Amino acid sequence: MDSTMSIYALPGHKVKLKENYMMMGYGHDKDNIQRHLKLGEIYTVEETMVFSSTSYVYFEEVPGISFNPIQFDSIIPQSHEDDMKNPYLIKFIEDSARYSQSKEGNSGEDV
């Protein structure tokens, strides 16, 4: 059973294009796929980059070209434990914890 790739996929993770990839992503995402990838091929994650409003995946087979993770299925889904090893997720968790602590420490009352 195929599943959408995790945006936190680690290097070495194997994915393939979704059959309906043209219905997802932005115009430049579709253009990059049509120029560089083939439906049915398997690609190896080199790196994923996760930001507040977008994510990118880079593949070993196509160096220097970014793609939209939403357009890919995992060959074997990555476990939650492996997701937790991704530096972008670790940073997000740490930043969220710092933010929560600062909100708890700031009750809004002047002393």
Side-chain angles (χ1 to χ4, degrees), residues 1-5 16-19 73-77:
M1 181 170 111
D2 293 329
S3 66
T4 298
M5 77 169 281
K16 64 181 180 178
L17 274 169
K18 290 180 174 284
E19 298 233 355
D73 281 327
S74 291
I75 301 301
I76 298 172

Side-chain angles (χ1 to χ4, degrees), residues 32-82:
N32 275 351
I33 287 173
Q34 290 180 323
R35 277 196 292 267
H36 302 286
L37 304 181
K38 293 181 183 169
L39 193 59
E41 296 288 317
I42 295 175
Y43 297 97
T44 308
V45 172
E46 179 177 2
E47 180 181 19
T48 56
M49 300 177 78
V50 182
F51 302 99
S52 61
S53 62
T54 192
S55 301
Y56 302 102
V57 61
Y58 292 85
F59 298 119
E60 292 177 6
E61 296 82 0
V62 191
I65 307 294
S66 66
F67 299 93
N68 188 332
I70 192 110
Q71 295 171 299
F72 296 88
D73 281 327
S74 291
I75 301 301
I76 298 172
Q78 181 169 286
S79 70
H80 176 71
E81 290 78 18
D82 280 345

